[in-house]
Each structure stands twice: as C-alpha cells, then as structure tokens.
Amino acid sequence: MAKLKMLKYPKKPKQSASVTTFERYIERCKEIDKENAKRKAQNAKLESLKKRVAGIKQKV
C-alpha cells in the first residue's frame, strides 16, 4: 500500500466575499485538517508495521 498524500486547502475566498462564504471556507479547512490527521496516523501505522515485518526473520 502506498503512502497517502495530504489534501490541500481550497482557494481562499476574495476579500469582498460574503460572511457565509468565509464560514464555509473555514468549515472545509477543518474537514481537511481532520482527514489529514487520519491520513497521517495511517501513514505512521503503515511505517511501523513495515519496520516490524522487516525485523522478522523467516525460518527455512
């Protein structure tokens, strides 16, 4: 399994955008932060499992 890439933030709204647009932007950024935290944890778990498997010696 390949490492998961982190998601990027959406483009920032223009300064003249409405209040609701800014609120939605902030909510989307929070969702991306949550997803990136999940992906980071999953990548860390994958790396630790790879190291653990590499340390196991097979008996022939």
Side-chain angles (χ1 to χ4, degrees), residues 7 9 15 21 24 34 44 46 51 54 59:
L7 299 175
Y9 286 134
Q15 289 299 109
T21 303
R24 283 195 310 251
K34 288 179 185 177
L46 177 65
K51 287 179 184 177
K59 295 180 181 178

Side-chain angles (χ1 to χ4, degrees), residues 19-59:
V19 172
T20 56
T21 303
F22 278 106
E23 289 172 346
R24 283 195 310 251
Y25 174 76
I26 292 170
E27 287 300 315
R28 284 185 301 201
C29 289
K30 287 180 183 178
E31 289 174 10
I32 289 173
D33 286 339
K34 288 179 185 177
E35 180 64 27
N36 283 344
K38 289 179 188 176
R39 289 178 180 214
K40 185 177 180 181
Q42 198 170 11
N43 286 342
K45 186 173 184 177
L46 177 65
E47 289 300 317
S48 68
L49 289 174
K50 282 182 181 179
K51 287 179 184 177
R52 194 169 167 188
V53 168
I56 297 175
K57 296 182 181 179
Q58 293 182 349
K59 295 180 181 178

